[in-house]
Amino acid sequence: MENTIIHKANTRGHADHGWLNAYHSFSFASWYNPERVQFGALRVLNDDTIAAGMGFGTHPHDNMEIITIPLEGDLAHTDSMGNTETIKSGDIQVMSAGTGVKHSEFNPNADQRTKLLQIWVYPNKQNVEPRYQQITLNAEDRKNKLQQILSPNADDSGVWIHQDAWFHLGKFDKGISATYDLKKEGNGVYAFILSGNVTINGQELETRDGCGIWDVKSLDIKAGSDAEFLLMEIPMQH
C-alpha cells in the first residue's frame, strides 16, 4: 500500500544513557535514518523513560510545537517564560517555542521512573510568541471511544497548537471498533500503539508500533486485545 508506512517497535532508534532510556520513531540526536526524518509536519516521536531524580537540563527550542504526554509518573517543568509546573500521568502539556524558549524537565520522584511521549510538530506560523499550556485529561472520555486531546482551536477539547493537527487517545476493550474521519483534506494520520493489538485499515499493529496513513478520508480501527493508542492527524505538507 503506497499510502501507508509501518514502523515496527523494534525498528526505532534507541539510546540508553542510563538515566534516560529513549526510543525514537524519527531521526533524533545521534540516531539518523534518512527514511525516517518526519511524517508530514510530525518531526519527533520520542518514547522516553527517565530514571528517578534525573532529567534534561535547561536547553533551547524555537519554532516548534512541543507536546508532552506523561504515561507513568511525574515530570517537573521549568521554563524561561516563568512556568514551574509538574505534569502527571493523565495530563498533556504543550509548549509553542516560537521565537525561542528555554526549559528543563526532570523526574521529581526519588523512588519511581517517569515514562512519557515527547512529540514535536512543525508549526504553521513562524516566530510566534512562546506559550505554555497544560491540562488534565478525563480518562473516562477515551474508554471505548476516541478522546480529542489536541486541536488547532483554543475553544475545542484538549490543548491547542499552531498547526492544523488533531490528536486523539483511545483506550479500547478487546473487540471494540471505531471509525476516525479525518478533519482536513491533505492531512494524514500517524497512529502509535501504546499497548495491545490494534488493526487500522487492515494493518495489524502491536505495542509501540507506529503506522502512518495518508490519502484516505477515514480510518477503520479495531482492537484485537485490550489496547491503548494515540492518533495524530497532521498536514502532510508543512
Side-chain angles (χ1 to χ4, degrees):
M1 295 184 288
E2 58 269 10
N3 68 330
T4 304
I5 190 162
I6 306 295
H7 295 151
K8 298 299 286 181
N10 63 1
T11 67
R12 297 178 295 170
H14 181 223
D16 190 345
H17 302 286
W19 67 273
L20 171 69
N21 190 13
Y23 288 89
H24 313 304
S25 294
F26 301 98
S27 295
F28 190 82
S30 61
W31 186 68
Y32 179 73
N33 179 336
E35 294 179 1
R36 305 227 336 222
V37 174
Q38 65 199 79
F39 179 79
L42 176 62
R43 172 61 190 87
V44 166
L45 173 56
N46 286 350
D47 182 5
D48 292 348
T49 301
I50 303 172
M54 303 301 284
F56 301 93
T58 302
H59 57 281
H61 293 280
D62 65 73
N63 288 315
M64 194 65 75
E65 302 291 306
I66 298 168
I67 301 109
T68 304
I69 305 175
L71 303 174
E72 183 184 304
D74 308 327
L75 190 72
H77 166 101
T78 305
D79 66 41
S80 54
M81 296 178 279
N83 298 295
T84 302
E85 302 287 348
T86 299
I87 50 173
K88 301 175 178 295
S89 177
D91 295 349
I92 180 171
Q93 173 214 66
V94 65
M95 199 170 67
S96 300
T99 52
V101 68
K102 292 179 180 170
H103 74 146
S104 64
E105 302 155 292
F106 69 97
N107 176 355
N109 299 313
D111 57 352
Q112 71 177 74
R113 65 189 182 182
T114 297
K115 290 187 157 209
L116 61 105
L117 299 180
Q118 186 163 94
I119 300 160
W120 296 7
V121 175
Y122 287 110
N124 57 15
K125 298 183 182 71
Q126 293 291 299
N127 298 321
V128 300
E129 183 181 337
R131 58 177 282 273
Y132 178 92
Q133 184 186 10
Q134 131 186 14
I135 63 169
T136 298
L137 302 167
N138 181 356
E140 286 301 305
D141 291 344
R142 73 187 78 122
K143 181 72 175 161
N144 293 327
K145 56 190 177 190
L146 299 173
Q147 174 189 30
Q148 181 174 294
I149 63 167
L150 176 148
S151 79
N153 184 349
D155 301 326
D156 244 6
S157 300
V159 294
W160 68 275
I161 64 170
H162 296 281
Q163 187 52 277
D164 292 325
W166 289 264
F167 288 12
H168 289 76
L169 279 172
K171 187 170 187 178
F172 283 17
D173 295 332
K174 180 181 179 179
I176 295 290
S177 298
T179 300
Y180 176 78
D181 294 316
L182 275 74
K183 312 279 190 203
K184 189 175 180 188
E185 197 170 346
N187 277 3
V189 176
Y190 193 88
F192 186 68
I193 312 306
L194 294 166
S195 65
N197 301 317
V198 181
T199 299
I200 299 180
N201 286 13
Q203 182 66 51
E204 282 189 40
L205 303 165
E206 299 171 309
T207 301
R208 270 18 192 206
D209 288 353
C211 173
I213 303 176
W214 62 99
D215 289 343
V216 295
K217 289 192 164 63
S218 64
L219 302 179
D220 293 317
I221 301 160
K222 182 165 187 181
S225 68
D226 292 354
E228 195 157 10
F229 57 92
L230 172 64
L231 302 179
M232 294 170 277
E233 177 182 338
I234 35 94
M236 296 307 291
Q237 307 293 327
H238 75 91

